[in-house]
Amino acid sequence: MTTELRTRLGTPLVRAPLPVAAPLASLFAGGLVRGRTVACTGDAALSTALALSAAATRAGSWLAVVGVPNLGVAAAIEAGVAVERIVLAQPPRASREWIATVAALVEGFDVLIVAPPASLVAHDARRLQSRILARQSVLIVVDLPALPSLGSTDVFSSDIDVHTDTVSWSGIERGGSHITQRTVRMRIDGRRCPTPREETIALPCSTPRLAS
C-alpha cells in the first residue's frame, strides 16, 4: 500500500521504532514500537519510564510528562533525558479535561509519560490510545499507588507491561554523598510480547527523590 493510499484510507503509517538506551536493548529488541501503550508498574515505575524515553529524546524526539507530581527537570536529566526536549504538564484531573490536554499533546510529541487520574474512565482511555496509534507516538503509563489522587494503569489496554522492582542502590556505600545508581529487576510481558523476558539492569539515579 502506498503512502498516499494509506493517508486517504486513514491507515497509520508504519514508522521506525524509537531507540532505547543500551541497558534496555536486550529487553526491548529493536526499540519502542510506535503506536503502542507501555504500562510501567512496581516501585521503580517512574524511573523506568524516564529511562525508556531517554534515548529517544537524545535522538531528537520530544517527550511530554503529564500528571506526574513533583517531577523536576533535574530528575529527568539525571535519567538521561535531553532537557531541551521535555515538557512537563499538570492538567486538571477531571477525566474529560485531562484527556483533552493529553490528546492535544499527542500531536506534537513522539513519547508521552502519563500518570492517569483516578477519574479517568476506560472509554476515554481507549480514545486516547486510538489517537496514539494514529499519530504513531508511544504512550508510557506509570502506576504511582502512593498517590491516592492518581489512578491505575489498568484503565488502559496496554500492549507491553513492564514491572520493575528495586534490588539495590549504589553511590553511598563508599562514602559518597548521594545515590548514583539503582539496580532493578525488570520483567517484560503483555499481549504484544510473545515471550516474557526478565533481567537485572542498572538505572541512573543521582538523588533519592528519583525513587518512584
Side-chain angles (χ1 to χ4, degrees):
M1 184 182 295
T2 66
T3 299
E4 182 180 357
L5 184 55
R6 282 181 180 274
T7 303
R8 289 181 178 179
L9 295 178
T11 304
L13 299 175
V14 178
R15 300 168 63 192
L18 296 171
V20 295
L24 301 169
S26 61
L27 291 170
F28 293 86
L32 292 174
V33 178
R34 291 175 179 269
R36 290 188 177 176
T37 298
V38 180
C40 290
T41 59
D43 66 11
L46 181 54
S47 293
T48 299
L50 290 169
L52 280 172
S53 60
T57 65
R58 295 196 300 272
S61 293
W62 280 85
L63 165 67
V65 182
V66 185
V68 177
N70 305 318
L71 175 67
V73 173
I77 296 172
E78 290 159 359
V81 175
V83 63
E84 69 275 13
R85 294 190 177 275
I86 181 173
V87 170
L88 308 179
Q90 288 291 349
R93 290 177 180 168
S95 180
R96 297 289 179 179
E97 289 83 352
W98 189 89
I99 280 290
T101 300
V102 179
L105 288 170
V106 171
E107 297 304 316
F109 293 82
D110 285 328
V111 188
L112 293 92
I113 295 175
V114 303
S119 62
L120 184 64
V121 297
H123 172 71
D124 287 338
R126 286 194 299 270
R127 287 174 52 212
L128 178 58
Q129 288 187 265
S130 295
R131 200 176 190 100
I132 287 287
L133 179 60
R135 175 62 176 76
Q136 291 286 280
S137 300
V138 173
L139 179 66
I140 304 177
V141 187
V142 293
D143 184 35
L144 302 175
L147 300 173
S149 61
L150 299 180
S152 167
T153 59
D154 292 342
V155 72
F156 289 91
S157 179
S158 59
D159 297 296
I160 301 293
D161 297 315
V162 184
H163 185 86
T164 317
D165 290 318
T166 302
V167 175
S168 64
W169 301 89
S170 303
I172 57 174
E173 67 278 0
R174 295 185 179 179
S177 60
H178 56 263
I179 294 170
T180 57
Q181 184 173 281
R182 183 181 196 171
T183 302
V184 300
R185 189 66 181 173
M186 186 176 294
R187 185 178 71 249
I188 313 293
D189 56 20
R191 62 193 182 104
R192 298 287 187 182
C193 180
T195 305
R197 300 181 291 277
E198 190 168 341
E199 192 172 317
T200 299
I201 65 171
L203 299 177
C205 178
S206 18
T207 60
R209 59 189 167 79
L210 289 184
S212 54

